[in-house]
Amino acid sequence: MHDIFNSPALTLSIALAAGMTALALGAVLRVPGILLALGAGVLLGPSGPLKVVRPETLGPWLQIVVGFCVSVILFEGALSLNPRRLKRTGTPVRRLISIGALIAAGGAALVAYYFMHWRIEIAALFGALLIVTGPTVISPLLRRIKAEKTVATVLAAEGVLGDAVGAILATVVFGIALHPVASSFGLAALELGKIALVGGLVGGSIGLLIVGVARWKALAQHHMNRIATLALVLLAFQLANALAHESGVLAAVVAGLVAGFMGGEQEELIEFKEELSMLFIGLLFVILAANVDLVELQGLALPALAVAGCLVFLVRPAAVMLSTIGSGLSVRQRLFISWIGPRGIVAAAVASLFATQLADTGAPEGTQFRAVVFVCIVTTVTLSGLTGKPVGKLLKVLAKSNQGWLIFGANSVARALGKALKDAGEEVLLVDRNREEVAHAEMAGLPVMQANALEVNTLLRGGVETRKGVIAMTANDEINLLFVQAAKRLAPHVQAWLALGGGKGGVTDHMVEAAGARTVCGRKFDVALLAAMLEEGRLEVQSRKREEAEKDDEGKTVIRRAGEMPLLVRKGKSIEPASGSWKGVTEVVMLSPKPKNKPEEQPEPAAT
């Protein structure tokens, strides 16, 4: 009977479905989805009970598929790095991927040499491959752990940039391992220079092309810029690899960095690449786990676990703590970074390639190499995923909750609201898709993100789960309601406020109440009209304390006058959007009609 599972197409399809199912279950169950994907790969692979995912059917295309997926994942990771924040954390990142990488490589090599009894060149190859963390694992972990910004940026940057360093160094060491003669060290230096030159030039050139594509309005209008970018990333990876073996990893990273640093805000592109990355991460972990022969692990379990344990408890902490001395990071931050060291998909993919090539040369370590790397990945991912949040809480490096406001909209009213909150000492972040409004917010010195605020990834990137509240301040009532509904689904505890204009057949008070939200100012107002009046200079932002307020005819304090539009109120030490209730209000921030300049009176001519 014909075995239908001897099909490369079916293997890829099942691996894709299994990978996405594992990641989705991980999100629902709040466990690392990558662990579930690895388990699915073992169960579905040739060594497992089901035997329906068969990587061997792909033949040489396995490495091509892996390369395509890795290029997109690394490009997305580099593109997502925040340029401003990365500049502030540049010192620890540079040290981690240089000094820290060398310490980690040497430590891992010594551990492998001692426990696995490998030749020194094979142990060095192992050390070079496992020097750093990977973005495929770090990114999902950071979303779950919610570490403070500095720590999260350092870990994310180390994962993206370090993966390129690790893959390149491993490739050079691999050449030495296959040709262990004195002259090979000189050749290795030349090879390293060639890889750096080709990867940098190809990645930089393609990155500039991607920036041009992103600014091509005709393509953007038809949503062709995303597809064009994907094609260019794959071209960069394969073209660089064709010119210099294993330089494609560096090319993908450089292209992402160039596009991210020179292309400005590209949130739509990042969202698209994030979706592709999640798809590819699930696929890769399933198919590479299925490619591990469990027979290879027989007799290796204890030494492999010893190697993994030393990496976690000795090598990683030593590399981080020594390389980041005087880097500006606190001891708590350095300890946390030391603990979070999961190895990712690049290590698994390159290990699979090297293991095959080592086995083809008759090297006895070839059958063991992939299995030990697999054990290290599973061990480090498990420990980081399950203990990352408790350790972060213990070290007090998690992002603080109930901090600041996420504002939907960057129009002049939203900017006035954001500036008033910022002046009051509150953290704010504006989100808008309009490039011009975003530019105005940046010129006003306000943190802003050009993105679709209704997207889950945008809300998570904006830190909605750690915010005090969200405010929808656009001229579209329905969109405002959708925003607060999406925010409350992700973070039920946050305050939710929205502006209502009161168009016919629009959002009702009952809908607002059902969403768990409140109306700014407690009444309806026209955001577009107020924005236009602000831009024309007919309105200005003013604040008034209760003791400065006037009395009406009945002797009551009038903190808000006719024609004024309250934005914020202060009650004690807290400040929040105005609700229409003035009980306990000590200060109000409002939009007030700007006094008209009276024409100067001309002096009468002197009498003669």
Side-chain angles (χ1 to χ4, degrees):
M1 182 178 177
H2 176 62
D3 189 350
I4 63 170
F5 295 108
N6 274 332
S7 164
L10 190 56
T11 285
L12 283 176
S13 300
I14 295 174
L16 275 170
M20 286 313 301
T21 301
L23 295 180
L25 279 175
V28 172
L29 300 176
R30 295 188 175 274
V31 297
I34 293 166
L35 288 180
L36 299 182
L38 288 170
V42 172
L43 289 173
L44 299 173
S47 298
L50 298 178
K51 297 178 173 50
V52 294
V53 174
R54 302 176 183 178
E56 71 276 6
T57 61
L58 295 171
W61 278 94
L62 174 60
Q63 296 305 325
I64 296 174
V65 170
V66 169
F68 276 174
C69 294
V70 167
S71 65
V72 173
I73 292 167
L74 290 177
F75 174 80
E76 185 270 326
L79 183 69
S80 302
L81 292 176
N82 186 301
R84 297 186 188 91
R85 205 177 296 153
L86 186 58
K87 288 176 183 177
R88 292 197 296 269
T89 57
T91 299
V93 172
R94 284 194 299 271
R95 293 188 182 182
L96 281 171
I97 63 174
S98 56
I99 301 171
L102 291 175
I103 295 172
L110 288 174
V111 168
Y113 180 77
Y114 180 79
F115 286 103
M116 301 306 303
H117 307 293
W118 289 340
R119 288 176 292 152
I120 189 63
E121 57 267 27
I122 302 299
L125 175 61
F126 176 84
L129 190 59
L130 292 183
I131 58 176
V132 288
T133 59
T136 55
V137 187
I138 281 293
S139 297
L141 280 180
L142 290 177
R143 292 192 189 102
R144 290 183 63 251
I145 294 172
K146 299 181 182 64
E148 61 187 23
K149 290 180 180 178
T150 300
V151 170
T153 302
V154 170
L155 284 170
E158 181 201 13
V160 173
L161 304 177
D163 251 0
V165 172
I168 293 168
L169 184 59
T171 301
V172 173
V173 176
F174 182 65
I176 296 174
L178 290 182
H179 308 286
V181 294
S183 60
S184 65
F185 288 95
L187 295 174
L190 291 175
E191 184 68 14
L192 181 61
K194 182 181 178 182
I195 289 173
L197 180 64
V198 171
L201 287 177
V202 172
S205 301
I206 297 295
L208 291 174
L209 278 176
I210 291 171
V211 172
V213 166
R215 295 176 179 173
W216 193 347
K217 293 184 178 179
L219 284 179
Q221 288 173 353
H222 295 88
H223 300 289
M224 294 295 291
N225 54 334
R226 300 176 176 183
I227 305 301
T229 299
L230 176 62
L232 288 172
V233 172
L234 299 180
L235 173 63
F237 183 81
Q238 292 299 338
L239 177 60
N241 270 345
L243 295 173
H245 186 57
E246 291 302 326
S247 64
V249 172
L250 179 62
V253 172
V254 171
L257 289 174
V258 170
F261 276 66
M262 298 186 62
E265 294 288 344
Q266 302 199 44
E267 295 297 332
E268 287 188 15
L269 183 60
I270 291 174
E271 289 167 10
F272 177 60
K273 291 293 181 290
E274 276 185 346
E275 293 168 358
L276 282 179
S277 292
M278 293 305 293
L279 182 70
F280 292 158
I281 287 169
L283 165 67
L284 289 179
F285 273 104
V286 169
I287 207 163
L288 291 177
N291 201 37
V292 174
D293 188 353
L294 295 183
V295 176
E296 295 175 355
L297 290 174
Q298 292 180 2
L300 293 177
L302 288 179
L305 286 173
V307 170
C310 288
L311 290 180
V312 171
F313 296 106
L314 295 177
V315 176
R316 172 71 175 173
V320 173
M321 297 303 290
L322 291 175
S323 65
T324 55
I325 293 173
S327 65
L329 295 177
S330 68
V331 174
R332 293 175 184 271
Q333 291 172 330
R334 291 160 64 200
L335 286 172
F336 182 73
I337 293 171
S338 298
W339 183 249
I340 303 298
R343 272 56 179 180
I345 200 66
V346 173
V350 178
S352 179
L353 172 64
F354 287 174
T356 302
Q357 295 184 8
L358 284 172
D360 291 342
T361 63
E365 300 92 348
T367 57
Q368 301 176 355
F369 193 84
R370 177 170 48 203
V372 176
V373 170
F374 180 77
V375 169
C376 290
I377 290 173
V378 172
T379 304
T380 56
V381 170
T382 302
L383 286 175
S384 296
L386 298 181
T387 66
K389 196 157 191 173
V391 171
K393 189 174 183 179
L394 179 67
L395 294 173
K396 298 179 181 179
V397 295
L398 299 184
K400 295 180 180 179
S401 59
N402 201 35
Q403 294 291 307
W405 298 82
L406 186 63
I407 302 174
F408 176 28
N411 54 65
S412 53
V413 179
R415 296 197 300 270
L417 177 67
K419 187 176 186 307
L421 283 168
K422 186 179 178 183
D423 291 343
E426 295 283 334
E427 181 182 327
V428 295
L429 176 64
L430 278 63
V431 184
D432 202 310
R433 296 185 70 172
N434 188 299
R435 190 182 297 272
E436 293 181 2
E437 300 287 20
V438 168
H440 286 309
E442 288 177 338
M443 287 189 289
L446 292 169
V448 64
M449 183 165 60
Q450 184 182 349
N452 181 359
L454 303 182
E455 291 280 351
V456 172
N457 283 335
T458 300
L459 291 171
L460 292 175
R461 195 179 297 117
V464 67
E465 294 171 307
T466 61
R467 297 288 179 183
K468 179 186 298 183
V470 297
I471 307 171
M473 190 58 73
T474 77
N476 189 314
D477 294 356
E478 288 78 11
I479 297 298
N480 287 346
L481 181 63
L482 288 174
F483 170 76
V484 297
Q485 287 173 338
K488 291 290 279 187
R489 278 195 296 270
L490 290 173
H493 65 281
V494 300
Q495 298 182 41
W497 298 78
L498 74 162
L500 282 186
K504 291 183 178 180
V507 177
T508 64
D509 293 338
H510 175 71
M511 293 178 183
V512 174
E513 185 179 350
R518 302 171 71 184
T519 305
V520 175
C521 195
R523 61 185 177 87
K524 296 176 180 179
F525 59 92
D526 192 333
V527 174
L529 177 61
L530 291 178
M533 294 175 70
L534 268 170
E535 291 167 4
E536 292 169 3
R538 293 159 59 191
L539 292 177
E540 63 181 357
V541 179
Q542 289 187 353
S543 63
R544 184 179 301 122
K545 295 182 179 179
R546 178 170 287 276
E547 56 266 26
E548 300 170 348
E550 300 174 351
K551 302 282 186 179
D552 62 10
D553 295 338
E554 299 178 359
K556 294 181 180 179
T557 301
V558 181
I559 197 169
R560 181 181 72 88
R561 301 167 185 162
E564 294 176 336
M565 174 67 200
L567 294 176
L568 301 169
V569 294
R570 184 180 292 279
K571 297 180 179 180
K573 293 183 178 180
S574 68
I575 191 166
E576 63 182 35
S579 64
S581 171
W582 307 107
K583 185 177 180 180
V585 173
T586 58
E587 185 179 2
V588 59
V589 179
M590 70 203 88
L591 296 178
S592 181
K594 196 171 185 179
K596 295 182 179 179
N597 294 325
K598 294 182 180 180
E600 296 183 2
E601 295 183 4
Q602 297 294 328
E604 294 183 5
T608 57

